[in-house]
Structures are given as structure tokens and as C-alpha cells.
Amino acid sequence: MDINLNLNSSAPSVADILILGTHTKTEKKAKKEVNVPAMSGWFKDCKEALESLAAAADFTGDAGTSFTFDWEGQRVLALGLGDKKDFDAEAARRAMANAINAQKLLVKSVAINIDTMTVKGNLETTLSAFTEAIHLSLYDFDKYLSTKRTPKLKKVIFDSKAKKTAAKKLEQAIKEATLVSESVNVARDFVNEPPNVLNSESYAKEVLKDVKNIKGVKAKVLGKAELKKHKMGMFLSVNAGSAYQPQLVHLTYTPPKATKNTKHIAFVGKGLTFDTGGYSLKPGASMVNMKFDMAGSATVFGAFRACALLGLPVKVSCFLGMTDNAVNALATMPDSIVTAKNGKTVEILNTDAEGRLVLGDVLTYASEHEPDAIIDAATLTGACLVALGTEVCGLMGNDKKLTNSLIKAAESADEYIWELPIKKEWREDMKSNIADLKNIGSNRFAGTPKAAAFLENFVGEGIPWAHLDIAGCGDSQAHLPYCPKKGASGVMVRTLVELVKTTK
Ligand code: BES
Ligand code: ZN
Ligand code: ZN
């Protein structure tokens, strides 16, 4: 996608369609209050053209609506933005996504008059939101279709009267939003890939290929022999029934001017390329879509690559625990007791609670690199969907400052997050009678924070840690016009990037 900025413009750029924003306002007409489209910043005769049509068409500029018409041979899309006071970055993202979705198969180029739809008068915020909306809405996983759904739309021009002196920072806003959105789309691609293509070994290879040319990034992969050396008994137990090697991908990004005071954030991701449940086999219907059980790893990887590409002044490590959870004669049986990397013994009462086993050992490994904070992401519990629905990311942790900054970051990124407590009773419930811990609680209640209570045991002493359960929000977010109706959502990548951006 070719995105251009045309400043100091007095006339619209040449394009197949011109998009102008229309807020809605209330007017008194014949003693009655009616909503009408407000067209501030519109070209006079274009405004008149719409005014003459809008009344007949009942177009009021409401959010989620639009009106297309011809103005002296130019196709124009009046984009409904709703009430001006409610028009924030998320409203802008959604409005632009609606416009792009409607036009992407029809036109080759669009000119967007951003002066008619600025978010709180800030052109940088506006351009970031629109650029994200464009890249995220154009995403389509059609690689396995014989007939592709390739969009016709190839060129976007943002028109503004703003002076050319603003060019540098506005171009930068477009560039940064592009890098972040592309990283969201990389994460989506990994999640959507089927399990007969994406297994732990091919996944690790693809990740290495992706980061190969990113400045400041170093990569290494630990296979079965290294995991044995590190005594990662929990991780290995999940991989026992697999035809593929477990892979622990360890990436580090070191910023250009790093000093010993540079902050260090570690990401950890659950990378179950498929979760059959193991011997505690999932019923057929629950097993479908378990290719997405690596979404946590794809999310943190997406965020990691964005941080590196943006050249943020924070050291970021990324630890991806990859395997599938399969069944064969060697697969781990329920009742097994294994020893974790940190020496704790764990009774495995349900092989379907495998994510915490992989993450536990990876959290210990990450802790050894002494980061200032660890954040993990995982499609960890079905219980998270029961607690928070399919739209909200579950957040838990051992450090209020860290969980609060994640809540703030999610707010800035307009992504939904909610913190759940970890109670001492739940920590107790994760203890086994014959081993230090067991991998499931004694009943089905509080399944999400109990999983976190388990994970907490593997975080190094004194390290602030937060856990994101993306079991719901990792999958399609059909209510968002910039998310595909089916498949991976890629949500939380933007939140994590925001967190690193605001790390001091
Ligand atoms: N990958 C699943 C969690 C999951 C389930 C994510 C449904 C998205 C939708 C995880 O490995 C799992 O199976 N967890 C079990 C834990 C239980 C056995 C304590 C679950 O949620 O049922
Ligand atoms: Zn499972
Ligand atoms: Zn799982």
C-alpha cells in the first residue's frame, strides 16, 4: 500500500474517490430538533452538492454511515463521524476502516481530506489512527484460496492545508503507524497458518527469517537437547508426544545508544502450534481452531518486531515457547510428576492445561536474563472467555505498577483489558498433596487467575511480572471494522508497543 501525504493543498489530489469527513450536528427546523451533517472545511460547491442531496437521503453524518455522490465528475464519499465531541482515535480508526472496507474492492486510489476529520485537532493522532485503520482493514488471509480477494486499492493520499513545515512529524506518524500495523498483520498471519504448515520447527524458522535484517536484533533457538540441558521438565513433558522438536526462540533487541541504565522488558509467549489436549483429549468441537493456541507467542513477537523496527530506546527480549500438544505412546500421561527448570515438582492432572507448563519453564529462563519486567501473553484458559467475554483481555500480575501501566497502555491503544486478582486461596489450591504444585485447580471456578497463580511460581524473585490471557481476544473481533470477521485479531500487539514506548 502506497500512502502519501500532500500538505499545503488547496484542491483535492487526483484519485478515484475523495473522502471527506462529516460530523453530525443538531439544528432546529420548524421548531423540531433534527440531526444534519456538518461539513466544516469542505469545498464550498462540494458542500452545496451534498446539502442538496443529503436531506433527500436522510444522511446525517452519524458514525457508521456514509454517503457517496458525484461532484463535478469526482466521486465523493461523505464519511459519517458522529458527534464531534466523541470523535477520538478509536472513532477515527473505525470510521476509516468502514470507508476502506466499502471501497477496497472498488477503487484503485483514494484521497482523504484529513482537515475535515481531525481527532481533537491533532493531525499526528489522526494520521496514526487512519494509517492503522488502512493497513489493518486491508489485511486478508487468502493465501490458500485459488481465487484471491486481492484489493484493488493501492494508493492513499492524505490531503491537508497544513504547512509543509509539519511534514517531518506527520510523515513520521504515518511511518510508525505503518510499522506497528504491519507487525500486527505479521502476528495475524502466523496465527492463521494451519498446523500442518506451521509446527514448532517451521514456526521458529519463519521467525528467524523475519528478524534477520532488523537492526539491533539477535536471535537464537534452543531445541530439545538444550531444553534437556536446562532441565525444562515441564516444557519437555508437553512436547513428549510431538513429532517435532520443542523450540525456545530467544530474541533480543538492543537499542542503538544502550547504556547500563537502559530499561529491559522481557516478553514471553505461549506458542502451542496445536493443542489437542494430549491424553486429556479435547472433544472434537473444542479442538477446532486450536491452531490459534500460539497466538500469545505471535502477539509478543509482533510487539517485539515493532519495537525493534521503531528503534525504541528500551532493550526488549522475547522468549517464545513452541511445541504442539499431541498424543502418541510417549505423550505425557495424567498423573505424571515432572520437575520444572526451577526445581519445583508438578503433578500433571490434566494434559490439556499444558500452556502453563511451557510458560512456567520459559518464565524461569527469561528471569535468568534479569529483565526489569516480564510480560507474558497466552491463550491460556477457556475460563477467561466465561469471565470476560471474547472481547476483553485478562490481566494478572504481581506488581501493581506494571499492571497499571498495562491498563494505561491498553487505554491509549484503545484495546480492552481487565485485571483479575490472584488470591492466596487460589495459590493454595494449586498445591498438590504429593508434589509442590499441580497443574489444575480443584474445581472449575476462577480458572483464569488460578492459572496465573501457577505461573507466578516460576517468575524470578523480585521481578515485576504481568500475564495477559488472550484466549478470547486473540481470536476474531468481528465488532471491530479493522479486524477480519474470522481468524486472528492481532489485538494486544499495539498495547504492548505502547507499553514499551512509555517505559522510562
Ligand atoms: N488452549 C487452551 C485454552 C483455550 C480454550 C483457549 C478455549 C481458547 C479457547 C488451554 O490449553 C486449555 O485447554 N486450558 C484448559 C485448562 C483446564 C484443563 C484447567 C481449559 O481452559 O479448559
Ligand atoms: Zn490445553
Ligand atoms: Zn492450550
Side-chain angles (χ1 to χ4, degrees):
M1 171 54 59
D2 183 16
I3 298 184
N4 303 275
L5 181 64
N6 179 32
L7 295 180
N8 202 12
S9 80
S10 48
S13 290
V14 177
D16 293 344
I17 193 159
L18 166 65
I19 303 181
L20 295 160
T22 335
H23 286 288
T24 188
K25 65 174 181 191
T26 313
E27 260 180 13
K28 267 220 164 103
K29 268 193 192 151
K31 288 188 183 161
K32 269 210 324 224
E33 295 218 317
V34 287
N35 285 346
V36 294
M39 285 166 273
S40 82
W42 279 50
F43 310 100
K44 190 169 167 284
D45 39 351
C46 181
K47 188 175 165 182
E48 285 163 7
L50 177 62
E51 267 163 357
S52 66
L53 294 162
D58 283 340
F59 176 66
T60 60
D62 268 348
T65 67
S66 62
F67 186 79
T68 322
F69 63 102
D70 281 328
W71 163 48
E72 293 167 10
Q74 169 73 60
R75 165 86 26 117
V76 179
L77 185 140
L79 185 59
L81 307 176
D83 205 322
K84 193 165 184 175
K85 71 174 186 335
D86 302 329
F87 193 64
D88 56 11
E90 180 62 6
R93 242 176 246 119
R94 293 187 188 199
M96 189 50 65
N98 284 329
I100 296 296
N101 287 335
Q103 297 299 321
K104 66 186 174 189
L105 298 173
L106 306 176
V107 301
K108 280 199 203 123
S109 56
V110 296
I112 301 171
N113 182 310
I114 54 173
D115 298 336
T116 59
M117 39 186 154
T118 58
V119 176
K120 319 277 180 211
N122 185 326
L123 281 183
E124 266 173 281
T125 313
T126 309
L127 284 170
S128 297
F130 285 168
T131 304
E132 285 173 359
I134 292 164
H135 290 296
L136 296 178
S137 329
L138 285 172
Y139 176 84
D140 192 3
F141 190 73
D142 64 355
K143 71 186 273 199
Y144 294 103
L145 286 173
S146 308
T147 311
K148 310 279 183 242
R149 290 182 291 241
T150 313
K152 199 168 161 188
L153 182 61
K154 298 281 181 251
K155 187 175 183 181
V156 170
I157 311 148
F158 290 120
D159 288 332
S160 172
K161 280 188 179 141
K163 293 211 178 68
K164 289 237 160 81
T165 47
K168 210 170 157 198
K169 68 172 204 257
L170 297 182
E171 300 273 12
Q172 186 65 16
I174 296 174
K175 192 175 148 203
E176 288 186 8
T178 298
L179 290 175
V180 174
S181 324
E182 281 172 357
S183 295
V184 173
N185 288 341
V186 166
R188 288 171 168 179
D189 264 342
F190 276 131
V191 179
N192 287 328
E193 206 60 65
N196 56 324
V197 175
L198 197 85
N199 55 62
S200 48
E201 294 169 21
S202 61
Y203 186 15
K205 272 200 197 104
E206 287 299 319
V207 164
L208 294 199
K209 205 166 101 189
D210 186 84
V211 297
K212 203 165 164 229
N213 295 318
I214 304 182
K215 231 176 104 193
V217 173
K218 286 210 170 85
K220 76 172 175 194
V221 182
L222 286 70
K224 198 167 189 160
E226 288 86 4
L227 263 55
K228 279 186 181 158
K229 218 165 70 198
H230 280 278
K231 299 196 164 90
M232 298 196 190
M234 292 197 296
F235 191 161
L236 286 162
S237 77
V238 177
N239 179 253
S242 175
Y244 307 100
Q245 288 232 5
Q247 306 271 271
L248 200 175
V249 176
H250 175 187
L251 309 169
T252 44
Y253 158 69
T254 312
K257 288 178 194 139
T259 67
K260 66 178 190 341
N261 296 326
T262 301
K263 284 277 181 278
H264 177 196
I265 305 279
F267 290 146
V268 167
K270 171 177 174 182
L272 265 286
T273 56
F274 198 81
D275 181 10
T276 68
Y279 273 113
S280 313
L281 198 67
K282 284 185 186 292
S286 315
M287 205 187 290
V288 174
N289 201 34
M290 276 302 140
K291 65 171 184 178
F292 110 119
D293 213 18
M294 36 60 70
S297 63
T299 303
V300 294
F301 174 65
F304 170 85
R305 90 189 277 286
C307 293
L309 286 166
L310 292 171
L312 297 182
V314 177
K315 181 175 170 185
V316 188
S317 297
C318 188
F319 303 91
L320 313 170
M322 301 171 177
T323 178
D324 50 19
N325 185 20
V327 198
N328 69 12
L330 299 173
T332 299
M333 288 169 197
D335 286 343
S336 298
I337 296 179
V338 298
T339 306
K341 175 171 166 54
N342 72 352
K344 291 195 178 168
T345 54
V346 177
E347 185 183 18
I348 299 175
L349 293 177
N350 189 321
T351 60
D352 197 11
E354 83 300 338
R356 61 197 76 184
L357 301 173
V358 171
L359 284 179
D361 277 341
V362 182
L363 283 169
T364 304
Y365 181 74
S367 301
E368 286 176 354
H369 296 82
E370 299 177 344
D372 295 302
I374 303 180
I375 300 158
D376 78 68
T379 48
L380 207 61
T381 62
C384 192
L385 285 82
V386 179
L388 297 175
T390 53
E391 297 87 357
V392 180
C393 176
L395 165 67
M396 286 136 278
N398 65 4
D399 183 270
K400 262 273 154 250
K401 208 172 140 215
L402 180 62
T403 52
N404 281 343
S405 38
L406 273 158
I407 292 170
K408 243 183 149 169
E411 245 166 42
S412 307
D414 295 303
E415 295 188 316
Y416 296 157
I417 202 166
W418 193 259
E419 186 172 4
L420 302 172
I422 306 177
K423 297 293 182 196
K424 62 177 185 298
E425 288 77 4
W426 301 338
R427 293 189 181 110
E428 279 307 307
D429 195 39
M430 297 311 288
K431 289 184 180 160
S432 156
N433 191 32
I434 56 168
D436 299 332
L437 294 163
K438 52 187 166 70
N439 77 328
I440 54 168
S442 52
N443 57 41
R444 66 195 170 85
F445 303 122
T448 303
K450 279 181 189 171
F454 179 88
L455 291 179
E456 194 185 49
N457 288 285
F458 303 96
V459 178
E461 192 70 34
I463 303 178
W465 155 80
H467 160 61
L468 301 178
D469 195 329
I470 61 159
C473 65
D475 207 358
S476 64
Q477 297 292 295
H479 61 287
L480 298 174
Y482 52 84
C483 270
K485 293 278 168 276
K486 290 212 165 82
S489 69
V491 308
M492 288 301 135
V493 171
R494 292 190 299 108
T495 293
L496 291 174
V497 175
E498 188 61 31
L499 180 95
V500 176
K501 267 189 177 172
T502 49
T503 294
K504 278 189 197 85

